[in-house]
């Protein structure tokens, strides 16, 4: 019984994740690539400013910036999407008896 419940939750998590993925990326022009392009463009802009204009003198500064920007970008987007997913999915929460933690976890995935 417990294994069936876990399997059902994994299927629900997969379904919710795919639904949120389609809502977020399929309808946009660049889709998933826009989420990758934005932090990379910002990192290269910061690299240009601090290595060419201000001349910080740090070797391989773009890698230094990327090591900070990519985790921060993921973390900030995950926190904001997880919080917003509960508000956006209030119909599902009130209609069905599901574990509430699945909705923010699917938004982070």
């Amino acid at each position: 019984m417990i294994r069936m419940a876990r399997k059902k939750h994994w299927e629900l998590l997969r379904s919710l994740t795919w639904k949120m993925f389609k809502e977020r990326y399929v309808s946009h022009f660049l889709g998933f690539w826009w989420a990758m392009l934005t932090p990379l463009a910002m990192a290269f802009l910061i690299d240009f400013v601090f290595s060419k204009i201000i001349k910080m003198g740090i070797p391989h500064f773009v890698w230094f910036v990327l090591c900070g920007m990519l985790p921060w970008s993921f973390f900030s987007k995950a926190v904001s999407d997880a919080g917003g997913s509960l508000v956006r999915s209030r119909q599902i929460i009130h209609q069905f008896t599901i574990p509430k933690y699945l909705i923010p976890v699917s938004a982070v995935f």
Side-chain angles (χ1 to χ4, degrees), residues 7-79:
K7 186 175 182 179
K8 183 170 48 171
H9 291 240
W10 278 108
E11 185 63 30
L12 179 62
L13 181 63
R14 187 187 67 75
S15 176
L16 286 172
T17 302
W18 182 246
K19 176 184 169 273
M20 289 185 187
F21 181 82
K22 286 193 307 188
E23 286 175 0
R24 186 177 304 153
Y25 296 119
V26 171
S27 63
H28 292 90
F29 175 65
L30 290 176
F32 176 73
W33 295 106
W34 184 254
M36 296 295 132
L37 188 63
T38 305
L40 288 175
M42 183 62 87
F44 285 116
L45 178 68
I46 290 172
D47 177 54
F48 176 76
V49 168
F50 285 107
S51 65
K52 303 291 189 246
I53 297 174
I54 298 177
K55 298 193 194 270
M56 293 285 292
I58 299 173
H60 307 292
F61 185 69
V62 71
W63 294 111
F64 178 74
V65 171
L66 280 173
C67 285
M69 284 197 68
L70 291 179
W72 172 254
S73 177
F74 170 74
F75 177 75
S76 65
K77 185 77 171 154
V79 169

Side-chain angles (χ1 to χ4, degrees), residues 75-103:
F75 177 75
S76 65
K77 185 77 171 154
V79 169
S80 72
D81 284 352
S85 70
L86 291 171
V87 175
R88 285 189 307 270
S89 301
R90 65 181 170 266
Q91 294 281 349
I92 295 172
I93 293 172
H94 292 302
Q95 242 176 355
F96 302 105
T97 306
I98 61 170
K100 306 304 187 258
Y101 67 86
L102 287 178
I103 294 173

